[in-house]
Amino acid sequence: MSLDSVKQLTGDNPQVDVIYEMVTRRLATVLKDVQFVDKALVDLEYIIDEVTIVRFNRIGSEGMKSETVEGHRVEFNYDDPFLAYSDIIQRYIDEHTELPTSKRVVRFK
């Protein structure tokens, strides 16, 4: 996927560009110790796409744990959509960094 694919799924909303950029920057910050950050962002692009879609779908519902509208109930599992991918990101960092083990930890709070 890519930004174009995400836009297709979200109806080409202009807010998607901003969300996608924010998610990309956040992941790049987490991956700062990886040798080739640009390659890492390409390898983990599916995470950027999915987190962008999750954040887009939560517009107007930020901070809510659940929402019920006319009998339709939606529950949000994570306050931070990156939490679902923290193990994958940590594994990627472990495989692509040459730092001492004690410095390779991913935390999303």
Side-chain angles (χ1 to χ4, degrees):
M1 282 176 92
S2 65
L3 177 57
D4 293 330
S5 300
V6 172
K7 283 180 154 187
Q8 224 173 12
L9 292 170
T10 57
D12 195 23
N13 190 303
Q15 292 177 315
V16 173
D17 293 316
V18 176
I19 296 169
Y20 195 88
E21 180 64 27
M22 288 171 48
V23 169
T24 301
R25 285 184 185 183
R26 179 152 182 223
L27 187 56
T29 301
V30 171
L31 297 171
K32 69 182 183 299
D33 293 328
V34 173
Q35 192 169 9
F36 300 103
V37 175
D38 292 337
K39 182 186 180 316
L41 292 174
V42 170
D43 291 346
L44 299 174
E45 186 176 38
Y46 70 97
I47 293 174
I48 296 169
D49 296 343
E50 291 178 21
V51 170
T52 299
I53 291 169
V54 167
R55 290 221 171 150
F56 176 78
N57 287 337
R58 296 242 3 226
I59 291 175
S61 302
E62 294 89 347
M64 290 186 192
K65 299 289 182 192
S66 65
E67 178 180 36
T68 305
V69 178
E70 296 180 9
H72 177 71
R73 182 174 175 83
V74 176
E75 292 199 26
F76 304 106
N77 296 330
Y78 300 106
D79 289 329
D80 183 353
F82 278 105
L83 286 176
Y85 303 100
S86 60
D87 290 340
I88 296 167
I89 295 168
Q90 184 63 56
R91 194 172 331 114
Y92 191 92
I93 290 171
D94 291 344
E95 292 171 1
H96 296 87
T97 356
E98 295 182 16
L99 292 176
T101 306
S102 63
K103 293 189 179 190
R104 292 186 270 163
V105 177
V106 174
R107 289 188 181 95
F108 294 101
K109 291 183 181 184

